[in-house]
Amino acid sequence: MQSEKEPLLDGDATVVKAYPRRWLVLSVFSLIFAVNNAQWITFGPVADEIKCYYGTTDFWINSLSIVYMAGYIVLVAFAVWALDRFGLRDVMIGSVMVLAVGSWLRVIGSAPSMFWILLVGQSITSIPCTMLWSAPSMLSSLWFPPSQRATATTIAGAMSAQIGIVISLALSPAIINIATQKGGVPTCSGQGIIQNRLFYYLSGQAIFATALIPLTLWGVPEAPPLPPSKSRQQQQQQSPRVARKQLIAHIVDILKNKAFVVFLIASSVMVASTGTIITLYEQVLDQHFSPTNQQILYVGIIVQLSGIVAMFVVGRWVDFSKSFHGTIVCVYLFTTLSMAALTVVIGYQKNFFWVYVAIALSGAGSNSFLGLCYEYGVELTYPIPEEVSAGLLNGVSQVFAIVLIEVVSMLSTKYSLSGMWLLTALGAMGAILTVFIRPKLRRVELEKAPPPISQTHPHDYQSSIQALLS
């Protein structure tokens, strides 16, 4: 691995260097993303209690979560364009400022008569989530050498999101349930107590979000002085920040890439299935086990923690081996089998311990796939900017997720486990599609490539690069 203190020279023109500051940039981005995802799931673990407190319906309580998914679909094109046009630093600064504004509106909305202010604040905090979900691959490409890119993408994206979710899964019931439960049953009394607790809880999130503004301004430069890899240098030469009309051209070019389109369908099915299970697992378990609130909480935390560990392990493995296709196929098959096992356990096991085991395996597989798919998408579409492929992967996945949540919820209500078997079947279909992808790992091939520029006529070198990327 190259030294962080001295740039690596390749011939006369290719100069790359990995700067220690990359870890600070990654940490700041991950903090912002973790806080944002913690805010997304704040009300999910205590939905019944919050519904009592505000005196509203399930639809409006669920809307506090759905605005994030709906917002992504509406804003994903703008997010990709903004990252392409303004760069990572400006988008991070804008995102954390919007996050702070939305966070303080949520504090105002903590009063029982201010639900609409809460919903507006929640909608505003969904905007940074949309902006940042398309950025992890861009961050890793901009700052990290090839030996650390997959790990950096995993940490910045899926892992930091899961950490934020785990924090809310643990804190929300601990803070809210104390004030709103009696004998394990939610009550609608004690509004003064819950208002006080909710105010301080949301205020803590808002203070933390606000504190991230100066940290981002100080800690995140626009770009490192030298690129961290040969592929990044080549991309900067061939693909500078583009105008809006060029973004459409990028999308058209990507959709002509058959390998990426197949992967887009397969990965969207898997990511949407994962989101559906996480959203509906309480509803499905209630039909077969009548679990306690504590058991439901443990299930949610186990899903996220198993995913965090698996994502890191898989990310390090891919950085070491560069075996993208084989790893993707293995993870997809493992996740599909674990989903089938979870369905069998829910339907035929009465010991809740096996639910914990099955959900841990399912969470490990599905979340590690989520952490890996962005890097694989970039490999398939290089040198098109990373945020374009990430935006498409996320956007299509959100559409699939919204549809699957409604379908599986309806099937599970009427036909028990049929919704879970549908997700398993879709996973099997996606796994088959993934097996038949014939990938060309464009960045990996470029990093291995050609003789130094000093030994080659510049025109010949550019021709070889063009041939590689064609």
Side-chain angles (χ1 to χ4, degrees):
M1 186 186 302
Q2 73 205 60
S3 169
E4 294 184 351
K5 296 182 179 180
E6 296 295 335
L8 175 65
L9 303 179
D10 181 6
D12 294 331
T14 305
V15 184
V16 298
K17 181 179 179 181
Y19 293 86
R21 197 180 186 93
R22 67 188 184 276
W23 299 110
L24 176 60
V25 175
L26 177 62
S27 299
V28 173
F29 184 96
S30 298
L31 278 173
I32 297 171
F33 207 35
V35 170
N36 199 187
N37 278 272
Q39 292 179 330
W40 166 43
I41 212 71
T42 295
F43 307 103
V46 289
D48 289 337
E49 292 82 2
I50 295 298
K51 182 176 71 173
C52 283
Y53 173 68
Y54 284 104
T56 187
T57 63
D58 286 332
F59 172 82
W60 290 112
I61 296 301
N62 291 338
S63 295
L64 294 171
S65 174
I66 291 173
V67 290
Y68 272 70
M69 291 181 282
Y72 193 95
I73 295 171
V74 173
L75 295 174
V76 61
F78 172 75
V80 173
W81 172 79
L83 284 164
D84 225 8
R85 177 67 180 82
F86 300 108
L88 180 65
R89 170 183 160 83
D90 289 348
V91 168
M92 285 179 64
I93 292 171
S95 295
V96 75
M97 288 180 173
V98 171
L99 183 64
V101 171
S103 298
W104 287 110
L105 283 175
R106 292 164 86 243
V107 174
I108 297 173
S110 62
S113 61
M114 294 287 187
F115 178 79
W116 295 108
I117 301 296
L118 178 74
L119 182 59
V120 170
Q122 189 78 350
S123 300
I124 291 173
T125 60
S126 74
I127 297 173
C129 193
T130 301
M131 304 300 293
L132 297 178
W133 256 122
S134 298
S137 294
M138 181 184 186
L139 184 152
S140 65
S141 175
L142 183 64
W143 283 94
F144 284 81
S147 60
Q148 298 171 349
R149 276 195 305 237
T151 303
T153 299
T154 298
I155 293 172
M159 188 180 293
S160 60
Q162 303 304 319
I163 290 172
I165 291 171
V166 167
I167 290 171
S168 274
L169 286 175
L171 287 184
S172 292
I175 293 172
I176 305 302
N177 284 358
I178 291 174
T180 61
Q181 287 204 349
K182 183 177 181 180
V185 179
T187 70
C188 295
S189 61
Q191 281 202 338
I193 298 175
I194 188 174
Q195 180 177 351
N196 187 55
R197 291 172 181 256
L198 188 61
F199 173 81
Y200 286 111
Y201 184 31
L202 299 185
S203 293
Q205 293 182 352
I207 291 169
F208 201 96
T210 305
L212 290 173
I213 295 175
L215 182 61
T216 306
L217 289 169
W218 167 76
V220 182
E222 183 173 351
L226 295 172
S229 65
K230 185 188 298 184
S231 59
R232 184 64 192 180
Q233 184 191 57
Q234 187 66 28
Q235 188 179 46
Q236 289 173 341
Q237 292 171 352
Q238 294 191 351
S239 182
R241 291 180 185 174
V242 296
R244 189 189 304 265
K245 62 181 180 181
Q246 291 173 288
L247 174 61
I248 297 174
H250 284 323
I251 294 173
V252 171
D253 288 341
I254 281 183
L255 295 179
K256 291 178 181 178
N257 184 328
K258 293 180 181 179
F260 178 78
V261 171
V262 173
F263 180 66
L264 176 64
I265 296 170
S267 64
S268 296
V269 167
M270 175 54 70
V271 174
S273 297
T274 301
T276 301
I277 290 175
I278 292 173
T279 302
L280 300 178
Y281 72 85
E282 181 175 359
Q283 174 184 327
V284 174
L285 291 176
D286 279 342
Q287 295 176 349
H288 297 272
F289 288 96
S290 299
T292 64
N293 287 340
Q294 190 175 42
Q295 287 176 317
I296 291 294
L297 173 63
Y298 288 160
V299 167
I301 292 176
I302 286 171
V303 169
Q304 308 305 326
L305 290 180
S306 63
I308 289 169
V309 174
M311 279 188 283
F312 184 79
V313 171
V314 170
R316 291 305 300 149
W317 163 252
V318 170
D319 274 333
F320 172 76
S321 68
K322 301 302 179 186
S323 177
F324 281 91
H325 183 63
T327 305
I328 281 279
V329 171
C330 290
V331 169
Y332 211 133
L333 290 172
F334 175 83
T335 305
T336 302
L337 292 174
S338 65
M339 288 169 62
L342 177 62
T343 305
V344 170
V345 166
I346 290 174
Y348 303 103
Q349 271 288 340
K350 298 306 177 185
N351 188 340
F352 206 81
F353 168 79
W354 294 109
V355 174
Y356 292 142
V357 173
I359 203 75
L361 294 174
S362 181
S366 58
N367 285 311
S368 59
F369 179 88
L370 179 62
L372 185 57
C373 69
Y374 299 115
E375 279 296 287
Y376 193 51
V378 172
E379 291 292 341
L380 294 175
T381 58
Y382 178 87
I384 292 172
E386 299 83 4
E387 61 271 19
V388 180
S389 60
L392 283 173
L393 287 168
N394 282 324
V396 175
S397 298
Q398 293 297 331
V399 173
F400 279 28
I402 290 174
V403 173
L404 279 180
I405 287 171
E406 294 299 324
V407 171
V408 171
S409 178
M410 180 187 68
L411 289 175
S412 297
T413 300
K414 293 184 177 180
Y415 306 106
S416 188
L417 290 175
S418 57
M420 291 293 295
W421 284 118
L422 172 63
L423 294 178
T424 303
L426 289 173
M429 180 196 73
I432 293 170
L433 287 175
T434 305
V435 168
F436 289 102
I437 295 174
R438 290 294 177 262
K440 186 175 184 179
L441 303 181
R442 301 181 176 206
R443 284 194 308 185
V444 172
E445 292 181 14
L446 180 59
E447 300 294 349
K448 291 178 179 178
I453 298 176
S454 59
Q455 301 175 15
T456 314
H457 190 280
H459 176 73
D460 295 335
Y461 181 76
Q462 292 296 333
S463 299
S464 69
I465 292 294
Q466 293 297 334
L468 173 65
L469 300 179
S470 63

